[in-house]
Amino acid sequence: MLQDLRRRVVPLHWSNMFGVIALACLAVITLTGVILMFFYTPSGTTVEYDGRYPALQGVQVSKAFESTLYASFEVPGGLLLRQAHHWAALLLPAALIAQLLVTFFTGAFRKPRRAGWVLLFLILITALAGGWSGYALPDDMLSGTGLRIFEGILLGIPVVGTWLKELLFGGQFPGEIIEHLYPLHLAVVPVMLALIVVRIAIMHRLKPPQFAGPGRTEANVVGVPLFPDAAARAGGLFLIVTGLLLLISATVTINPIWLYGPASPGNAGAGSQPDWYTGFLDGALRLVPSGWEIVALDRTWTLALLVPLAVITVFLLLVAAYPFIEGWIAADHREHHVLDRPRNTPTRTGIGVAGIVFYGVLWVAGSADLIAVAFSLTIEGVVLALQILLLAGPVIAFTIARRVCLGLQRKDRELLLHGFETGRIVRLPGGEYIEVHQQLSRYERWRLLDTGEHAPLTLEPHSGRTLWTLRLRVRLSRFFFEDRLEPLSPHDALPPPFGAPAASQSSNRVGAIVASGPGSNSRSSRSVPK
């Protein structure tokens, strides 16, 4: 196994480290969670508090709340463990989302890594489920308010809503929600570990993707050995992230449930906010106009709830299925091992930025009430502004991002052909003044060169009726690839030796290792037969 790890070559890039951050967070969550499990009691049974926190002496609380306070104030190091558990649970979704964004904008989701994208998305959903279930376990006023909102969402679902509510809560609110959520929370880590192991196994069978550079082709990998070089870098970052999480947990208070007090079915905390990773769900509910209800089939259909659920579900499904959608539109069946620069795929980059704006508006809407209070605005005005931004923001963001990408492509083209300005003015013998341009280095030229194929599809001439799916495919292909700059050929943009065919290129970087492997550089036809 060690010999195999030494022979495996991986490229070095900072964007590859988000996975290490996620693993460090998962390790902290697992270790602290296993220890806290011995002190936590998952029960909603009411008892009288008789612990060390004087402000709650004699107050009726649940066993879950009492055990959480016991772990915080009476177990040595318990508060550090609980806060480390919470901080790591907050950082884990951020690391996974950053990894998804890097994968999306560089095209690392393309064949043969589509399964890796889906698994990474499922890992994120599992992390969100684990964070949400753990958010409710302390049974404090903040988590109780969130559970009351969740109960209302379940009851608003037609036909099956009441059944789902009874299944999860086990009766009248709060019922047995703590007892039912605890097994779900415990199952999150094994499920996530299984998904990570499957993803690592799948990705290990493939060559690691790499950015364009001298000697880097679809058939080789330029980098350092996985062991010990890359493993040492990853291990160092793993320890740094773990240390920072413990340092933050020891110095910054989070989720002080003793200040919120125990949950009460008849009370709700003012200004309650969910954890950041579920804020977009809360924001989707807040942006729906009031009074959206219709009566049909002897039932009341609450559109103010169904529309946000439908929109969020469609959004998440599009994220999960995007690699297959783009592959179908582009009719691209090749294997890709060289990553794209985001500026060289302007439509994909525009779609990604539009998705970020859409998610961001929903996320901000989750704090619409706090924004109104902080800036002395009306809540109606804040919600109206966010509703307009939710509809117009993604379109504007897509347009601006695509035009910026095209502008950056033109800038790269000028640098490849003419070099960069030096500011040195020279007078020619004929009296003409020109500015001297300095050519880019060979490495920079190769990095800026776009050798990808971005031509839109066309229908072959054929008599007969054209299927609507083919016409749709061609139109979407034009939308994706028609507004573009034709890439320069290596012979036009690169001086020797890098202007030669890819098969004869080699790396001249000191310390780099080139590992050759099976790969295909053939280009697929850009025409679609009827």
Side-chain angles (χ1 to χ4, degrees), residues 25-50:
C25 294
L26 184 59
V28 172
I29 290 172
T30 303
L31 183 59
T32 56
V34 168
I35 299 175
L36 291 172
M37 183 175 61
F38 291 99
F39 306 103
Y40 177 75
T41 303
S43 173
T45 304
T46 302
V47 296
E48 183 176 314
Y49 180 72
D50 189 25

Side-chain angles (χ1 to χ4, degrees), residues 329 455-457 473-482 526:
I329 292 174
L457 300 176
R473 192 178 191 179
V474 170
R475 290 177 181 176
L476 291 175
S477 176
R478 290 174 181 173
F479 169 75
F480 261 75
F481 304 114
E482 197 167 43
R526 306 304 299 166

Side-chain angles (χ1 to χ4, degrees), residues 56-317:
L56 293 175
Q57 287 286 344
V59 176
Q60 295 293 317
V61 300
S62 66
K63 287 186 177 181
F65 187 83
E66 181 192 39
S67 62
T68 306
L69 286 184
Y70 174 79
S72 301
F73 294 128
E74 302 182 40
V75 175
L79 184 59
L80 174 64
L81 292 174
R82 197 173 72 83
Q83 296 196 151
H85 192 77
H86 200 123
W87 278 115
L90 293 180
L91 182 59
L92 176 60
L96 293 174
I97 290 175
Q99 194 174 0
L100 274 172
L101 290 176
V102 170
T103 304
F104 179 85
F105 285 112
T106 60
F109 56 80
R110 295 172 296 175
K111 188 179 179 180
R113 296 176 181 84
R114 296 171 180 173
W117 169 270
V118 175
L119 288 171
L120 184 60
F121 174 80
L122 293 178
I123 292 171
L124 174 61
I125 297 299
T126 306
L128 297 183
W132 173 79
S133 58
Y135 174 86
L137 292 182
D139 200 30
D140 59 296
M141 182 63 72
L142 181 61
S143 62
T145 303
L147 287 176
R148 175 64 85 176
I149 296 173
F150 181 68
E151 182 202 27
I153 294 175
L154 291 180
L155 291 175
I157 300 176
V159 183
V160 298
T162 304
W163 178 78
L164 291 175
K165 183 260 180 185
E166 291 294 328
L167 177 65
L168 190 59
F169 285 84
Q172 195 69 22
F173 183 87
E176 300 177 351
I177 184 64
I178 301 297
E179 293 84 347
H180 292 171
L181 282 182
Y182 186 64
L184 173 63
H185 188 67
L186 292 182
V188 164
V189 170
V191 172
M192 191 178 300
L193 287 175
L195 292 173
I196 291 174
V197 169
V198 173
R199 186 172 189 272
I200 291 177
I202 292 177
M203 302 306 287
H204 184 74
R205 296 176 57 186
L206 305 172
K207 293 183 298 183
Q210 59 186 347
F211 287 95
R216 300 180 180 182
T217 68
E218 299 283 359
N220 67 3
V221 180
V222 179
V224 299
L226 178 59
F227 183 85
D229 300 53
R233 295 169 184 262
L237 180 60
F238 183 95
L239 296 177
I240 290 173
V241 173
T242 304
L244 288 176
L245 283 173
L246 293 178
L247 177 63
I248 294 173
S249 304
T251 55
V252 182
T253 302
I254 190 170
N255 197 23
I257 63 170
W258 52 91
L259 298 180
Y260 304 148
S264 175
N267 299 327
S272 299
Q273 301 292 308
D275 280 334
W276 76 268
Y277 47 83
T278 55
F280 74 104
L281 301 174
D282 193 16
L285 295 174
R286 298 189 183 201
L287 291 186
V288 179
S290 59
W292 272 22
E293 292 183 353
I294 59 174
V295 178
L297 303 176
D298 294 330
R299 297 182 182 273
T300 300
W301 302 79
T302 308
L303 298 183
L305 174 64
L306 297 178
V307 170
L309 288 178
V311 170
I312 294 298
T313 302
V314 171
F315 176 73
L316 294 178
L317 290 177

Side-chain angles (χ1 to χ4, degrees), residues 42 54 61 188 216 269 284 324 436 462 486:
V61 300
V188 164
R216 300 180 180 182
F324 306 94
V436 177
H462 191 277
E486 289 291 343

Side-chain angles (χ1 to χ4, degrees), residues 357-489:
V357 171
F358 180 80
Y359 173 87
V361 173
L362 293 179
W363 182 76
V364 171
S367 299
D369 52 342
L370 297 184
I371 294 174
V373 172
F375 295 97
S376 300
L377 302 172
T378 62
I379 184 65
E380 294 82 5
V382 173
V383 170
L384 178 60
L386 291 174
Q387 288 172 342
I388 296 174
L389 189 59
L390 182 67
L391 298 176
V395 178
I396 297 174
F398 171 81
T399 304
I400 294 176
R402 186 158 70 163
R403 301 314 300 178
V404 168
C405 288
L406 292 174
L408 292 174
Q409 286 187 45
R410 293 188 183 95
K411 177 184 176 182
D412 289 346
R413 180 185 292 265
E414 290 297 322
L415 290 175
L416 286 170
L417 294 176
H418 307 295
F420 60 90
E421 300 176 354
T422 62
R424 188 162 63 94
I425 307 299
V426 176
R427 184 180 181 182
L428 299 180
E432 178 184 1
Y433 290 91
I434 62 170
E435 181 179 11
V436 177
H437 285 232
Q438 182 175 341
Q439 294 296 325
L440 300 176
S441 66
R442 291 173 175 174
Y443 179 78
E444 285 296 319
R445 283 174 171 270
W446 191 276
R447 188 178 67 87
L448 297 182
L449 182 65
D450 177 23
T451 57
E453 182 179 340
H454 307 296
L457 300 176
T458 57
L459 284 174
E460 292 180 349
H462 191 277
S463 59
R465 190 174 181 180
T466 304
L467 294 177
W468 68 270
T469 54
L470 293 180
R471 294 197 300 268
L472 176 63
R473 192 178 191 179
V474 170
R475 290 177 181 176
L476 291 175
S477 176
R478 290 174 181 173
F479 169 75
F480 261 75
F481 304 114
E482 197 167 43
D483 193 3
R484 74 195 191 284
L485 295 180
E486 289 291 343
L488 295 173
S489 66

